[in-house]
Amino acid sequence: MKIYPTITTLVDYNEKLKEVNTFKLEKVCVFFTGLNYKERKELLNKIKRTSIKEIPFAHIKNDMEEEELDFLIKNFKTQVFNIHTEKEYPLKYDYSKYKNLIYIENVYKAFDEEEIKNWAGICLDISHLENDRLLRPKICQKNIEILKRNKVGCNHISAVKDYYHLNEKGIKRYDDHLSENLSEFDYLKNYDKQLFSNFCAIELNNSISFQLKAIDYIKKLFN
């Protein structure tokens, strides 16, 4: 299991880039979910001026062009990507060239096993799975059965609260991209280590400093 800090883009990322230099980090995951084409180019230009040499795992958007994936692989040695399901976010471009590097993430619905077969496998967000266990056990169980038959190639790791909140769509959630306490990762020890890949990204809007503490904490949970 390899766990990486992550630049998320649904919030301002500039302080995280400063922290990357402070900690001299060379490998960081990047989630492009909050950016359009022009904003993605701006972020990558900023990343070039940091200590980052590799982006091993990237969460791409449905509107990213094939050339953008080419760029990540050539310049930052990106090895795996994840996308949301096409039912939620239909793809605007053909990614068949990289279908063996792209994994489908579990979000609100149960996995579509037929869709998974079109790609490299599953990007398992453990916090989403735990949220389903707490609120939608039938969907959780269905996903667990599908996980037994398909490859988990990358992971997202977020916090899980001991209380639920309503997200922007008014849906109950226990999982959260902002952590207040490291104990919000204790749920991970209830999951088989086989469900974790060598490309685990900490999906938090928290600072890089907090993410690094979370990574150390999670590693101790499994040791």
Side-chain angles (χ1 to χ4, degrees):
M1 185 196 305
K2 293 183 180 178
I3 311 175
Y4 298 96
T6 301
I7 304 296
T8 58
T9 55
L10 291 173
V11 295
D12 181 68
Y13 56 75
N14 286 291
E15 287 302 314
K16 290 188 180 70
L17 292 180
K18 291 178 183 177
E19 286 186 279
V20 161
N21 282 334
T22 298
F23 290 106
K24 296 180 173 59
L25 299 180
E26 295 187 355
K27 296 182 180 182
V28 173
C29 297
V30 178
F31 286 20
F32 293 97
T33 41
L35 306 178
N36 60 32
Y37 177 78
K38 181 180 178 181
E39 292 166 337
R40 293 192 293 267
K41 288 191 69 174
E42 180 183 354
L43 170 58
L44 289 170
N45 284 330
K46 289 181 177 180
I47 286 176
K48 285 182 179 179
R49 299 195 291 271
T50 70
S51 58
I52 296 172
K53 290 183 171 56
E54 295 184 30
I55 300 173
F57 170 25
H59 185 344
I60 57 177
K61 280 185 71 179
N62 64 322
D63 67 343
M64 290 179 73
E65 299 181 30
E66 184 184 287
E67 289 75 14
E68 294 183 77
L69 277 62
D70 293 338
F71 182 88
L72 287 166
I73 291 170
K74 181 179 179 181
N75 292 277
F76 293 105
K77 302 178 183 177
T78 304
Q79 298 178 62
V80 296
F81 303 94
N82 91 271
I83 55 173
H84 290 144
T85 67
E86 290 194 67
K87 288 182 180 178
E88 292 174 287
Y89 297 96
L91 296 176
K92 296 186 178 181
Y93 299 98
D94 179 13
Y95 293 156
S96 56
K97 175 181 175 182
Y98 292 126
K99 68 178 184 179
N100 292 328
L101 303 180
I102 297 175
Y103 295 84
I104 300 294
E105 179 189 354
N106 56 313
V107 187
Y108 294 117
K109 299 178 181 178
F111 282 123
D112 180 339
E113 198 159 11
E114 289 305 308
E115 183 178 8
I116 292 170
K117 290 176 182 177
N118 294 329
W119 303 97
I122 291 170
C123 170
L124 180 61
D125 188 312
I126 306 287
S127 66
H128 291 342
L129 188 64
E130 176 68 2
N131 183 76
D132 286 337
R133 186 188 71 81
L134 294 168
L135 292 173
R136 307 183 303 167
K138 288 184 179 179
I139 287 179
C140 178
Q141 188 55 44
K142 181 178 180 180
N143 281 343
I144 287 173
E145 290 303 314
I146 292 173
L147 283 164
K148 293 176 182 178
R149 299 189 292 269
N150 293 275
K151 176 184 176 181
V152 175
C154 48
N155 299 84
H156 297 176
I157 297 175
S158 301
V160 172
K161 309 289 187 183
D162 58 6
Y163 57 89
Y164 73 79
H165 60 282
L166 299 179
N167 68 5
E168 66 279 1
K169 297 180 180 179
I171 299 172
K172 286 183 180 179
R173 306 292 299 185
Y174 280 91
D175 51 342
D176 202 306
H177 294 149
L178 188 66
S179 179
E180 300 168 302
N181 194 299
L182 292 174
S183 64
E184 293 171 347
F185 301 97
D186 286 349
Y187 73 96
L188 293 169
K189 63 188 176 185
N190 296 322
Y191 288 93
D192 192 321
K193 195 174 181 180
Q194 296 300 314
L195 293 176
F196 296 81
S197 68
N198 283 331
F199 298 95
C200 296
I202 294 290
E203 188 178 5
L204 291 177
N205 293 328
N206 296 75
S207 66
I208 294 294
S209 175
F210 183 90
Q211 290 185 37
L212 293 174
K213 291 176 184 176
I215 290 170
D216 288 339
Y217 186 83
I218 292 165
K219 287 180 177 177
K220 288 175 183 176
L221 287 178
F222 286 98
N223 290 330

